[in-house]
């Protein structure tokens, strides 16, 4: 996860430009959050209470979907969505090698085999030609990740899912409010999984997630699975889990949701500023936007000719940064079992070696952005 440098820390003279500052957002919403939390303590309805139901209704509407089932985390959403579409031991699910490990863990939790494929170097999103090449008689689902907030090519993936009769689920953990070809994420296949981890575009004050779908049967299955297989207390239809969202998180998310579109617009404006500044810099290439995608701009990521140099200059100037992600999934010890070594996915591996994520959050000030730009410019001038 990202480094959360605190803005007030003052190392080496220059005031820090944090990679992410969640406290500014909290200060702006403190009154509303306090007001929303009081009733939960008064009603002592901490689990699956009215605040949860209310948030589910608003988030479904926001996603232009029929149903939202809130969950304890994005990982839980991925896990239950896969179970609900029937993923079981022996099945294969296709996803990208360059993602946060949770996407792939969820496949493993179902006893299924993750079938990783490489990404497109320009967009860092799943390479649809490789998806088709990976499909075989064991394949049951495609699970694209909308990396950094930019939707994968859902039009192409929908064609493949239809052609080969596969489930299509979206990992939209980084893509709240993103669109592709004018359609919201989650509307292409069976549904989308969201994370409300604090640093995400819509973040809780703890863990949270959701599965969003317009398929009533799937929503019902995920609803049962998240609550011990139970719709009526102490009556259990299936073996489930305890993956419920708590009311406190739901209330905080309901306070934040009305601000999400504005926040995403701010993110896009900041990214446009970065894009303009970096367009002429040697050895700095921002991840490309597909013209059909409206990205939620969760992260601003550039490929660099020499990452250690960029990191050194940023560090020297007290500017935060991150790497998303330093090691592709197939080279993680946890997935040694896949038997895929170095060289299996050259584009993912090259990205992991060269990318860096720069400070990006809706409240990032213009002067802080200028400092980031100046530092990257300086690093670029030092490339060999
Ligand atoms: C954050 C994230 C997840 C996991 O979400 P949690 O809420 O932390 O469980 C899954 N996939 C991607 C791509 C993510 O960024």
């Amino acid at each position: 996860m990202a480094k959360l440098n605190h803005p007030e820390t003052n190392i080496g003279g220059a005031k820090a430009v944090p990679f992410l500052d969640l406290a500014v957002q909290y200060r702006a919403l403190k009154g509303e959050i306090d007001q929303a939390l009081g009733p939960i303590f008064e009603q002592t309805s901490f689990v699956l209470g009215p605040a949860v139901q209310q948030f589910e209704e608003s988030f479904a509407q926001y996603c232009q979907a029929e149903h939202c089932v809130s969950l304890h985390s994005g990982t839980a959403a991925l896990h239950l969505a896969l179970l609900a579409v029937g993923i079981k031991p022996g099945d294969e699910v296709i996803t990208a090698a360059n993602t946060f490990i949770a996407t792939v863990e969820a496949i493993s939790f179902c006893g299924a085999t993750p079938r990783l494929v490489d990404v497109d170097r320009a967009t860092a999103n799943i390479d649809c030609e490789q998806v088709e090449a990976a499909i075989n008689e064991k394949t049951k689902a495609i699970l694209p990740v909308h990396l950094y907030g930019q939707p994968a090519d859902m039009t192409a993936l929908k064609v493949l899912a239809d052609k080969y009769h596969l489930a299509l689920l979206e990992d939209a953990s980084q893509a709240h409010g993103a669109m592709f070809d004018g359609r919201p994420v989650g509307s292409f296949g069976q549904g989308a999984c969201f994370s409300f981890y604090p640093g995400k575009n819509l973040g809780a004050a703890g863990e949270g997630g959701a599965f969003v779908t317009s398929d009533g049967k799937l929503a019902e299955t995920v609803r049962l699975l998240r609550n011990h297989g139970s719709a009526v207390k102490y009556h259990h239809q299936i073996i489930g889990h305890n993956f419920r969202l708590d009311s406190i998180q739901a209330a905080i998310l309901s306070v934040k949701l009305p601000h999400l579109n504005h926040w995403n617009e701010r993110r896009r404006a900041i990214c446009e500023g970065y894009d303009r500044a970096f367009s002429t810099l040697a050895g700095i290439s921002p991840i490309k936007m597909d013209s059909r995608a409206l990205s939620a701009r969760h992260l601003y990521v550039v490929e660099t000719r020499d990452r250690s140099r960029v990191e050194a200059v940023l560090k020297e100037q007290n500017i935060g940064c991150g790497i998303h992600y330093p090691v592709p999934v197939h080279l993680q010890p946890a997935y040694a079992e896949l038997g895929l070594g170095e060289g299996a996915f050259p584009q993912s591996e090259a990205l992991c070696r060269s990318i860096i994520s720069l400070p990006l959050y809706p409240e990032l000030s213009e002067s802080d952005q200028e400092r980031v730009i100046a530092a990257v410019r300086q690093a670029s001038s030092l490339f060999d």
Side-chain angles (χ1 to χ4, degrees):
M1 288 289 136
K3 270 187 284 186
L4 306 180
N5 319 15
H6 198 269
E8 257 82 63
T9 49
N10 205 334
I11 314 152
K15 189 168 169 292
V17 179
F19 176 69
L20 176 64
D21 184 351
L22 297 175
V24 272
Q25 186 183 80
Y26 169 65
R27 284 184 214 114
L29 298 176
K30 185 177 182 323
E32 279 181 79
I33 289 174
D34 288 350
Q35 242 177 13
L37 294 185
I40 291 172
F41 288 92
E42 292 296 340
Q43 294 160 6
T44 64
S45 177
F46 296 115
V47 174
L48 294 187
V52 170
Q53 200 180 339
Q54 194 202 323
F55 172 69
E56 289 181 339
E57 282 164 18
S58 330
F59 195 64
Q61 193 174 23
Y62 178 82
C63 297
Q64 298 176 43
E66 297 286 326
H67 311 277
C68 164
V69 185
S70 63
L71 293 151
H72 176 70
S73 68
T75 308
L78 290 159
H79 181 185
L80 297 193
L82 288 164
L83 285 177
V85 301
I87 301 305
K88 55 184 191 313
D91 294 343
E92 285 188 8
V93 177
I94 299 174
T95 193
N98 179 29
T99 182
F100 180 56
I101 197 160
T103 321
V104 188
E105 285 176 317
I107 299 167
S108 303
F109 294 159
C110 300
T113 303
R115 182 67 193 258
L116 301 178
V117 300
D118 211 349
V119 296
D120 177 78
R121 180 71 172 267
T123 63
N125 266 330
I126 198 163
D127 180 332
C128 299
E129 279 175 29
Q130 298 208 23
V131 170
E132 184 159 27
I135 294 170
N136 63 65
E137 65 284 353
K138 289 184 183 161
T139 311
K140 291 290 150 52
I142 312 173
L143 176 56
V145 182
H146 304 322
L147 201 67
Y148 312 143
Q150 170 168 231
D153 184 347
M154 292 312 298
T155 304
L157 293 170
K158 175 85 172 77
V159 168
L160 290 179
D162 288 346
K163 181 171 168 192
Y164 296 99
H165 310 289
L166 305 174
L168 179 58
L169 291 168
E170 303 169 46
D171 183 346
S173 295
Q174 303 184 357
H176 319 68
M179 316 263 272
F180 193 81
D181 264 344
R183 289 171 58 179
V185 293
S187 68
F188 292 87
Q190 279 63 48
C193 303
F194 291 88
S195 164
F196 306 124
Y197 183 82
K200 300 291 161 83
N201 291 35
L202 180 64
E207 306 284 353
F211 175 60
V212 163
T213 183
S214 288
D215 181 327
K217 227 172 131 48
L218 275 184
E220 223 29 65
T221 306
V222 173
R223 231 172 252 290
L224 283 175
L225 283 168
R226 79 165 171 191
N227 188 30
H228 302 294
S230 166
V232 177
K233 202 162 188 178
Y234 303 134
H235 294 265
H236 306 277
Q237 301 171 37
I238 52 176
I239 298 171
H241 300 263
N242 176 0
F243 284 168
R244 301 171 300 228
L245 183 73
D246 69 72
S247 304
I248 289 176
Q249 300 308 334
I252 290 169
L253 291 167
S254 286
V255 167
K256 290 186 168 193
L257 182 58
H259 301 278
L260 180 56
N261 281 340
H262 170 68
W263 289 335
N264 282 349
E265 276 162 31
R266 283 292 309 142
R267 287 172 177 277
R268 286 181 201 116
I270 293 164
C271 292
E272 276 165 27
Y274 279 143
D275 280 345
R276 269 195 306 278
F278 300 150
S279 61
T280 53
L281 286 192
I284 299 288
S285 326
I287 295 297
K288 295 231 165 22
M289 291 298 115
D290 184 318
S291 59
R292 297 163 297 172
L294 178 69
S295 173
R297 289 294 200 171
H298 174 57
L299 292 169
Y300 187 82
V301 178
V302 296
E303 271 208 74
T304 64
R305 190 187 300 157
D306 179 352
R307 179 167 64 198
S308 56
R309 205 171 270 281
V310 180
E311 282 178 312
V313 174
L314 291 173
K315 185 155 188 251
E316 190 185 276
Q317 302 190 11
N318 212 0
I319 296 170
C321 62
I323 300 175
H324 301 87
Y325 297 93
V327 181
V329 174
H330 67 289
L331 300 181
Q332 299 282 0
Y335 278 104
E337 64 186 55
L338 296 178
L340 297 162
E342 190 94 35
F345 303 120
Q347 307 307 330
S348 295
E349 292 166 26
L351 283 165
C352 289
R353 280 192 296 267
S354 69
I355 47 176
I356 193 161
S357 310
L358 299 175
L360 175 62
Y361 55 94
E363 302 83 3
L364 183 72
S365 71
E366 210 165 304
S367 58
D368 279 355
Q369 189 179 14
E370 284 308 319
R371 276 184 54 200
V372 178
I373 290 170
V376 172
R377 192 172 283 139
Q378 185 189 333
S380 155
S381 73
L382 298 171
F383 289 156
D384 303 321

